[in-house]
Amino acid sequence: MSPTDSPLHSGGCLCGAVRFCVSGEPTGGNHCHCGMCRKDSGSGVSTFVTFPANAVTWDRNPTDYESSPGKYRGFCPKCGSSLTWRSVEDANTIDLRLGSFDDPTPFKAQKHLWISTALSGFSKIDPDIDHFDQGS
């Protein structure tokens, strides 16, 4: 498949000041239940789609916040929409928030992260998705 045949996925923030385009298919996806993702999203769980970092092009880069050493969350500097999560340990990938895509329907999460910190309302987690606890 040539680069021009690669699927293109677009998205951006709530106000439209930050837009992105992604070529190709995701390499993963997850539902994260950690407290930092809950705070960052204002939601009970955060869903991300993982792509190679070099597959993403931005019309304006999001602003980064180092939420813990070597871990960065990107957001729109105008409206504050949370858009990304990335780690310096794996600089070759970037996680984009599912809700930031113009059409999120092609994507499916393949795992749950930080199940031990999941809110009680998420106790019946989809058994068809892998569960990983990255800490206790």
Side-chain angles (χ1 to χ4, degrees):
M1 179 183 283
S2 74
T4 57
D5 294 334
S6 294
L8 292 178
H9 309 283
S10 59
C13 66
L14 181 62
C15 74
V18 177
R19 299 281 305 157
F20 63 83
C21 186
V22 185
S23 60
E25 294 296 332
T27 59
N30 68 72
H31 300 297
C32 186
H33 297 270
C34 80
M36 288 182 130
C37 281
R38 287 198 307 267
K39 287 281 189 184
D40 182 46
S41 68
S43 184
V45 64
S46 290
T47 303
F48 295 96
V49 182
T50 306
F51 282 91
N54 64 3
V56 183
T57 57
W58 299 91
D59 67 348
R60 176 182 182 182
N61 286 330
T63 298
D64 278 340
Y65 169 70
E66 189 173 14
S67 57
S68 56
K71 312 291 191 232
Y72 293 88
R73 295 168 187 276
F75 62 94
C76 171
K78 185 174 179 184
C79 69
S81 294
S82 180
L83 299 166
T84 67
W85 183 92
R86 63 185 180 81
S87 170
V88 296
E89 293 170 0
D90 187 4
N92 295 321
T93 65
I94 187 167
D95 289 356
L96 300 168
R97 288 204 177 268
L98 176 67
S100 67
F101 284 90
D102 296 334
D103 178 12
T105 58
F107 308 114
K108 180 173 174 27
Q110 291 124 0
K111 60 187 169 183
H112 287 270
L113 305 176
W114 296 95
I115 297 297
S116 63
T117 63
L119 300 175
S120 61
F122 292 93
S123 61
K124 297 195 187 287
I125 292 175
D126 186 347
D128 294 329
I129 298 176
D130 289 335
H131 304 156
F132 295 94
D133 250 337
Q134 294 185 330
S136 297

